[in-house]
Amino acid sequence: MTTAGSAPASRAAAGDDILARLLRVPVYDLLSLFRVLVLVLPLLTGAHTFFIARATSVGDDPA
């Protein structure tokens, strides 16, 4: 099923397919990397933000 001006579904390339071709890696390896990054990056970002907030508030004693 196609709409006016769009490619058939079998010929449309997803973003990961294009990125895999540009980086010259298999699509499945790229998808595995994305799956790991989706789990790891939020945890790293949260930990980094926590430590920055803790380090900047150490000298601030409101009492």
Side-chain angles (χ1 to χ4, degrees):
M1 179 175 180
T2 62
T3 59
S6 68
S10 62
R11 293 178 37 121
D16 54 357
D17 293 332
I18 295 169
L19 189 59
R21 183 174 290 170
L22 289 173
L23 296 175
R24 297 180 185 198
V25 296
V27 175
Y28 294 114
D29 291 345
L30 190 64
L31 290 176
S32 296
L33 175 68
F34 286 160
R35 287 182 189 130
V36 170
L37 290 177
V38 161
L39 296 175
V40 172
L41 283 180
L43 295 174
L44 289 177
T45 303
H48 187 260
T49 304
F50 172 77
F51 287 122
I52 287 177
R54 196 171 100 186
T56 57
S57 67
V58 167
D60 299 334
D61 190 19

